[in-house]
């Protein structure tokens, strides 16, 4: 019997995140306004990972990420989930050191052989990243869920953060968009999109290193809130307006067709609704808006600065009436 893992979950990948507006409302009163000096990056702007200064001129990076199946193949799902979890460390300029697995599994519904493949996929990606995997935690869960809690190290004086954007900085995007709509089509039809799996299992290590080597200090990874959602957070934290050139953004083959055919997740629609009050879309079409808001899983880095080989998709300018301006 062939099991389709995506059929055992209500959503898939980063598209099953709690909507950004709802999440911000929940945590608004929980932010530690005292901001201890050793907590370099905390909850203030919703950065990708926490960063704490420690002795010896180093900083510890801590993050966790897990989600329901985004593809049917268990090994690929494990690889995607691990790549996505490691990405949060790269997004703040760190290097992963050790990870522990986070696992929910319907043990009476899905065979343990599939679970082993999920864990094998995560382990293979961690080895590629030279990151140890040392145990983890599992629960019997009606829906399969997998990811990792990752601890890394960083130079506290060379970090990538949301609030460091300044007017005049170009915006680079290191992976094409479109995995969200392709994953939605995969869940509905079973059609496999190798180009989506390839980009979701590509580590952001090289892009992170390139950003640091060029002295850039502002970046984030593009995941469940889509390009527009994550860019809105960056521009808001930096006190600037972000201008996006929609025609300069790269998309995976088949992404436009997936939107045309209606394979748009609820997460993507909620992303677009969240940023629309803060955006000037001009004459940009609804399909383009949805693609720019597409809920990515294990997407690329969005860097304020040039990255070799990555397209320039816009720039930061002084704060205007809208936080986002999208041009065609």
């Amino acid at each position: 019997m062939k099991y389709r893992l995506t059929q055992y979950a209500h959503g898939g990948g980063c598209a099953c995140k709690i909507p950004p507006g709802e999440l911000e409302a929940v945590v608004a009163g929980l932010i530690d306004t005292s901001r201890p000096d050793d907590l370099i990056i905390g909850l203030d702007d919703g950065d990708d990972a926490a960063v704490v200064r420690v002795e010896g001129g180093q900083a510890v990076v801590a993050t966790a990420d897990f989600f329901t199946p985004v593809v049917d193949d268990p090994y690929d799902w494990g690889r995607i989930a691990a790549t996505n979890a490691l990405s949060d460390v790269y997004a703040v300029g760190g290097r992963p050191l050790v990870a522990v697995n986070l696992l929910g599994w319907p043990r009476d519904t899905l065979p343990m052989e599939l679970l082993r493949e999920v864990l094998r996929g995560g382990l293979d990606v961690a080895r590629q990243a030279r990151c140890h995997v040392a145990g983890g935690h599992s629960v019997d869960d009606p829906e399969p869920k997998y990811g990792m809690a990752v601890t890394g190290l960083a130079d506290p004086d060379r970090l990538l953060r949301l609030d460091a954007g300044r007017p005049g900085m170009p915006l680079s995007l290191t992976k094409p968009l479109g995995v969200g709509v392709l994953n939605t089509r995969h869940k509905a039809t079973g059609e496999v999109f190798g180009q989506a799996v390839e980009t979701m299992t590509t580590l952001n290590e090289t892009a992170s290193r390139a950003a640091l080597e060029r002295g850039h200090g502002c970046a984030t990874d593009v995941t469940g809130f889509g390009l527009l959602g994550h860019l809105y957070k960056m521009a808001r934290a930096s006190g600037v307006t972000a201008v996006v050139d929609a025609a300069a953004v790269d998309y995976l083959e088949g992404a436009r067709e997936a939107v045309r055919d209606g394979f748009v997740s609820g997460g993507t629609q909620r992303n677009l609704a969240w940023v629309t009050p803060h955006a000037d879309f001009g004459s940009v079409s609804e399909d383009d808006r949805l693609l720019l808001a597409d809920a990515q899983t294990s997407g690329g880095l969005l860097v304020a600065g040039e990255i070799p080989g990555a397209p320039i998709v816009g720039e930061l300018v002084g704060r205007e009436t809208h936080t986002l301006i999208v041009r065609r």
Side-chain angles (χ1 to χ4, degrees), residues 24-33 43:
E24 287 190 345
V26 169
V27 303
L30 304 177
I31 297 175
D32 183 2
T33 57
L43 273 173

Side-chain angles (χ1 to χ4, degrees), residues 90-178:
Y90 296 131
V92 297
R95 59 180 180 86
L97 184 65
V98 61
V100 292
N101 292 310
L102 302 173
L103 175 69
W105 196 256
R107 50 184 293 275
D108 293 329
T109 306
L110 292 174
M112 289 297 175
E113 290 81 2
L114 296 184
L115 170 56
R116 187 179 188 280
E117 284 299 287
V118 174
L119 295 175
R120 185 171 72 88
L123 180 60
D124 281 354
V125 162
R127 285 172 173 165
Q128 180 185 348
R130 301 172 305 285
C131 176
H132 301 291
V133 179
H137 184 69
S138 63
V139 295
D140 189 352
D141 193 322
E143 284 189 325
K145 300 179 180 72
Y146 175 64
M148 288 178 166
V150 187
T151 302
L153 292 175
D155 181 341
D157 298 318
R158 298 174 68 234
L159 295 172
L160 303 173
R161 51 192 303 154
L162 282 175
D163 63 359
R166 300 293 179 264
M169 290 181 171
L171 294 168
S172 300
L173 182 62
T174 66
K175 287 185 184 181
L177 301 182

